[in-house]
């Protein structure tokens, strides 16, 4: 039985750049979302509580996707912590290096979602919508 040699073909579009995922900072053990929906204003607001465990000792900040959200406040284990939000990424400054034990992170936020959540209202043509 003869085997044919295969040539290695790169799996990328010529001229494209490589996009690697960021290093994982923590493992999410449990997520609780409290959500308020304002149908008239097409807005949502609420809080997201995440029980997380850092994947390594010494993490000084957490980075979370928070595209097009308004962040009202962030707590870690019940205490307010400083944060920055650039419109895309929420950076939570930690009071000190986190131990690899469970912690609770709470983010209070609001948004006018354009993707993922859609507000459907009655229309003249479809009054029962």
């Amino acid at each position: 039985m003869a085997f044919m040699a295969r040539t290695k073909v790169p799996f990328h579009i010529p001229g494209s750049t490589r996009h690697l995922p960021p290093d994982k900072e923590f493992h999410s053990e449990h997520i609780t979302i409290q959500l308020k929906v304002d149908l008239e204003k097409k807005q949502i607001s609420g809080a997201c509580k995440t029980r997380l465990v850092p994947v390594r000792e010494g993490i000084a900040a957490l980075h979370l996707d928070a595209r097009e959200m308004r962040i009202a406040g962030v707590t870690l284990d019940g205490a307010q912590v400083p944060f920055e939000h650039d419109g895309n990424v929420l950076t939570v400054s930690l009071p000190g290096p986190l131990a690899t034990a469970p912690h609770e992170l709470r983010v209070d936020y609001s948004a006018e979602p354009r993707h993922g959540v859609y507000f459907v209202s009655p229309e003249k043509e479809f009054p029962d919508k």
Side-chain angles (χ1 to χ4, degrees), residues 60-64 71-85 89-96 105-107:
L62 299 174
H63 303 89
L64 303 141
I71 308 301
V74 179
T75 61
L76 180 69
D77 297 328
Q80 293 282 335
V81 288
F83 64 91
E84 291 182 19
H85 183 242
V89 176
L90 172 63
T91 302
V92 179
S93 300
L94 303 175
L105 179 72
R106 177 185 169 119
V107 178

Side-chain angles (χ1 to χ4, degrees), residues 26-31 50-53 101-103:
F26 59 88
H27 170 71
S28 301
E29 285 191 336
H30 189 267
I31 298 173
T50 305
R51 186 172 59 236
L52 58 89
V53 178
H103 299 274

Side-chain angles (χ1 to χ4, degrees), residues 31-123:
I31 298 173
T32 302
I33 299 173
Q34 300 167 330
L35 195 61
K36 294 179 188 174
V37 179
D38 187 329
L39 292 174
E40 288 182 19
K41 294 182 181 178
K42 297 183 179 182
Q43 296 177 343
I44 59 172
S45 61
C48 179
K49 291 192 289 187
T50 305
R51 186 172 59 236
L52 58 89
V53 178
V55 296
R56 64 185 179 285
E57 296 274 343
I59 294 175
L62 299 174
H63 303 89
L64 303 141
D65 291 332
R67 187 177 200 103
E68 298 180 359
M69 299 173 76
R70 290 178 298 279
I71 308 301
V74 179
T75 61
L76 180 69
D77 297 328
Q80 293 282 335
V81 288
F83 64 91
E84 291 182 19
H85 183 242
D86 66 5
N88 292 314
V89 176
L90 172 63
T91 302
V92 179
S93 300
L94 303 175
L98 283 185
T100 55
H103 299 274
E104 183 176 279
L105 179 72
R106 177 185 169 119
V107 178
D108 294 293
Y109 65 92
S110 61
E112 295 169 2
R114 295 187 300 150
H115 305 286
V117 175
Y118 300 96
F119 296 92
V120 180
S121 304
E123 299 172 359

